[in-house]
Amino acid sequence: MRKVAIIGVGMTKFGELWDKSLRQLLVESGLEALEDASEKRTLRGKDIEAAYIGNMSAGLFNEQEHLAAMLADYTGMTEGNRPATKVEAACASGGVALYNAYLAVASGRYNIVAVCGLEKMTDLLSGSVTDALVSAADREYEAFYGVTFPSLYAMMARRHMHDYGTTLEQLALVAVKNHRNGYYNPKAQFRRLITVEDVYRSPVIADPLRLLHCSPVSDGAATIILADAKTAKKYTDRLVYILACAQASDTLGLYNRKDLTTMESVVSASKVAYETARLKPKDIDFVEAHDCFTIAEIMAYEDLGFCEKGRGGKMIEEGLTEIDGEIPFNPSGGLKAKGHPVGATGVAQAVEVVLQLREEAEQRQVKGAKIGMSHNIGGTGSTAVVTIYGRDV
Amino acid sequence: MDFSPSREWREINARYRLESSMCERCGRIYYPPRDLCPVCRRKSIGAMKTITLPRRGEIVTYSVIHAAPLKGFEGRTPYIVAIVDLGGVRIQTLLTDCEPDEIEIGDEVEAVFRRIREDGERGVIHYGTIFRPVRMPKTSVHAH
């Protein structure tokens, strides 16, 4: 397998982008990534040999399928009739698109590949958004009984609190931290500081989770350009390498898991990623994690190996995952503050990791970051993608 | 979106009677029923026996949905969704005949047959098996 580098990144602002269409978001993030990659020589659209697009459900959100064709058409890839592929794995769609693009370059099939993550959720009214999102769970045996995504994570949270004594305050601190980081991210949906009391005062969505435990409904797109090491150096000297990228699966339904407080897919994907990169958790300088709900970040601390099972609540309480802590989590603001256009998230996480490793993250920069990680979840952990990145090594 | 009634009809054995599949090779039980044991795989073909789950079990975890309910559940908030353990097999369900502050993880529950929701005025009425705390009077018949 060849070494794979990320040579360019682009991302739209995340948020309720009423004036922008699905295709406009796609093109905006793509153009930014092309510009970003053109440091030493211009990367042209026609230099892209293949593209992968991660999207959860434009079919339900926008009544538009066949996004791969839209991507090829609107970015000019039809000029060479280049292949474009849509990848779907619920909220891990972006991460799985990245994984497939990584394989396509590492294997030697292509030298330059684009990966786009895209979701436009606000075209659908909020009542219907809940229904669209729950299609990432088991429709006939979970959603049939009125289950929503907040309630699935609420059931994990309640069990985590029951088994390990995790507290509501610890959960709230995750949201407070991620809002603090997002405050410094110009592309974040929420640039607003919140307190633990704000979390307690926000309306209950699915007990024990309140509104401020939940990531928002968002629009947005992110694009990254991958290239093999040799090709990459022709375009830029600001290289970030993918040291490992691993994907894993678990049951579709949460109810079928033996342990509701562990995502085996995350444990498995991270084990492969650490082995491939020949690294250990202590070697990782920061993590962009999938905090779709606050409990998900606490479980990520544990499942990625940064603490023992059940100690996740203590990690946030002791400040270990703050931006200046031992292992910063979500310097971007995470899904909670940056926003969570579901299919875009896995790619947006890669964008943030690249900016951090290039030391271009300005006020939210993790000092001396050399090795970064991203953690992207689909559904209740039915799919997980864990990726490790490193500066030029 | 409008769906054919066959979508509902083909699931009724599992939903009404808690029919499940037991792999006769390894003894594992799956709910909803499966045609293939994911552990024994090919060797399980033809060896998946239909059995019904126990109608009593205990609460593994639950959540009370106060806001952002699914379509068809709008008038029902707050409602309680739960994962219950029925003799080692876990299923997703709803809890009924109780208030949120009356239940805890580990409480014993029993199955009741109830209307779940309707697809509008002219659509299919969905029924299924949901659960209530065993301490509740068994004569309770009102739909939630």
Side-chain angles (χ1 to χ4, degrees):
Chain A
M1 298 280 267
R2 301 192 297 175
K3 231 167 130 178
V4 177
I6 300 175
I7 61 171
V9 300
M11 181 180 147
T12 67
K13 186 177 162 45
F14 280 7
E16 295 176 332
L17 310 175
W18 308 111
D19 56 337
K20 289 198 176 146
S21 69
L22 198 60
R23 62 193 83 188
Q24 284 176 308
L25 292 169
L26 172 72
V27 170
E28 185 182 324
S29 73
L31 281 177
E32 192 177 303
L34 283 182
E35 282 302 311
D36 185 56
S38 304
E39 192 192 32
K40 288 158 74 176
R41 100 157 62 167
T42 305
L43 178 66
R44 299 161 304 177
K46 62 182 179 184
D47 298 328
I48 312 279
E49 295 163 68
Y52 291 83
I53 179 163
N55 172 265
M56 175 181 158
S57 198
L60 292 172
F61 289 121
N62 322 94
E63 295 191 302
Q64 177 68 62
E65 294 291 8
H66 214 169
L67 288 196
M70 179 185 279
L71 182 149
D73 185 1
Y74 278 79
T75 61
M77 288 185 68
T78 44
E79 191 185 328
N81 301 104
R82 297 289 171 75
T85 306
K86 178 183 136 177
V87 171
E88 187 271 312
C91 304
S93 298
V96 175
L98 167 62
Y99 178 67
N100 280 276
Y102 164 76
L103 293 180
V105 175
S107 67
R109 180 65 183 86
Y110 302 117
N111 290 335
I112 305 181
V113 171
V115 189
C116 180
L118 172 67
E119 210 80 55
K120 170 126 191 101
M121 301 168 74
T122 63
D123 277 354
L124 207 56
L125 298 180
S126 60
S128 300
V129 168
T130 306
D131 270 64
L133 287 173
V134 89
S135 52
D138 184 334
R139 172 62 71 175
E140 300 289 10
Y141 288 90
E142 287 181 317
F144 179 82
Y145 298 100
V147 161
T148 59
F149 252 88
S151 70
L152 287 164
Y153 277 84
M155 286 192 282
M156 293 184 219
R158 189 180 303 281
R159 191 71 215 193
H160 205 281
M161 293 164 79
H162 175 268
D163 290 354
Y164 303 112
T166 304
T167 65
L168 286 170
E169 186 184 2
Q170 290 166 344
L171 290 170
L173 283 170
V174 173
V176 171
K177 167 183 72 67
N178 290 346
H179 270 258
R180 195 182 300 130
N181 294 346
Y183 184 79
Y184 296 108
N185 185 348
K187 289 184 172 173
Q189 181 162 357
F190 299 125
R191 301 190 64 193
R192 173 166 78 85
L193 300 175
I194 60 167
T195 64
V196 168
E197 288 68 35
D198 291 332
V199 179
Y200 291 165
R201 276 197 298 263
S202 66
V204 179
I205 303 297
D207 181 71
L209 299 184
R210 293 170 179 270
L211 182 67
L212 288 178
H213 289 286
C214 309
S215 56
V217 171
S218 318
D219 304 327
T223 300
I224 62 174
I225 313 286
L226 305 186
D228 65 287
K230 196 175 144 204
T231 306
K233 285 172 186 153
K234 292 181 193 165
Y235 290 94
T236 178
D237 290 326
R238 300 174 305 165
L239 295 179
V240 168
Y241 289 100
I242 296 179
L243 306 179
C245 184
Q247 181 187 334
S249 309
D250 201 352
T251 60
L252 176 64
L254 176 66
Y255 60 97
N256 265 325
R257 311 260 171 86
K258 280 187 198 73
D259 178 1
L260 299 176
T261 62
T262 301
M263 291 190 187
E264 287 296 341
S265 57
V266 174
V267 173
S268 172
S270 62
K271 185 166 176 282
V272 172
Y274 286 128
E275 280 170 13
T276 307
R278 296 201 180 91
L279 294 170
K280 292 190 159 51
K282 67 173 172 47
D283 301 315
I284 307 295
D285 294 320
F286 69 97
V287 181
E288 276 296 303
H290 197 98
D291 60 320
C292 49
F293 300 93
T294 49
I295 182 63
E297 184 171 310
I298 285 181
M299 286 164 66
Y301 300 159
E302 301 166 354
D303 297 343
L304 293 170
F306 294 102
C307 66
E308 280 171 37
K309 187 85 244 168
R311 292 260 321 155
K314 289 272 182 237
M315 290 268 296
I316 183 76
E317 194 177 291
E318 291 166 9
L320 302 178
T321 56
E322 297 285 343
I323 200 151
D324 56 354
E326 209 164 275
I327 174 71
F329 260 66
N330 282 322
S332 69
L335 283 51
K336 175 70 203 77
K338 184 181 60 185
H340 183 29
V342 287
T345 283
V347 184
Q349 291 176 328
V351 171
E352 177 70 12
V353 173
V354 168
L355 294 179
Q356 290 285 347
L357 292 177
R358 289 185 193 160
E359 301 194 356
E360 293 171 6
E362 299 175 344
Q363 284 171 288
R364 63 183 194 283
Q365 180 65 46
V366 175
K367 300 273 182 317
K370 290 188 177 61
I371 306 284
M373 173 183 265
S374 64
H375 154 269
N376 188 200
I377 299 297
T380 50
S382 312
T383 300
V385 181
V386 175
T387 310
I388 302 175
Y389 316 69
R391 227 147 64 175
D392 209 349
V393 279
Chain B
M1 278 181 279
D2 301 319
F3 291 97
S4 156
S6 58
R7 182 192 183 192
E8 169 73 13
W9 166 82
R10 80 172 79 90
E11 306 295 338
I12 64 176
N13 289 349
R15 287 187 186 147
Y16 291 12
R17 292 197 290 276
L18 299 179
E19 278 192 4
S20 311
S21 301
M22 186 179 77
C23 172
E24 290 186 302
R25 278 188 59 87
C26 71
R28 287 183 177 82
I29 299 167
Y30 299 99
Y31 183 86
R34 298 185 181 213
D35 295 327
L36 189 76
C37 169
V39 178
C40 300
R41 297 190 286 255
R42 163 170 309 199
K43 290 170 187 159
S44 68
I45 296 170
M48 299 301 281
K49 187 181 160 193
T50 299
I51 62 162
T52 55
L53 294 180
R55 298 180 69 81
R56 274 198 184 201
E58 64 175 53
I59 299 171
V60 179
T61 188
Y62 67 94
S63 174
V64 189
I65 298 180
H66 288 260
L70 276 201
K71 287 226 168 81
F73 292 84
E74 292 91 343
R76 303 259 292 273
T77 54
Y79 61 96
I80 311 170
V81 295
I83 294 174
V84 300
D85 188 301
L86 305 173
V89 180
R90 290 175 172 188
I91 72 169
Q92 175 65 54
T93 191
L94 281 159
L95 297 184
T96 187
D97 299 351
C98 59
E99 295 299 322
D101 59 3
E102 295 172 341
I103 54 165
E104 276 183 42
I105 287 175
D107 282 359
E108 201 179 0
V109 290
E110 64 185 357
V112 286
F113 183 71
R114 291 291 164 84
R115 177 189 296 217
I116 307 293
R117 67 182 168 86
E118 296 158 28
D119 287 345
E121 275 186 24
R122 302 199 309 167
V124 168
I125 301 171
H126 302 272
Y127 293 92
T129 304
I130 62 174
F131 288 79
R132 68 180 175 194
V134 287
R135 59 186 163 69
M136 296 300 288
K138 289 177 186 170
T139 50
S140 171
V141 289
H142 57 237
H144 39 265

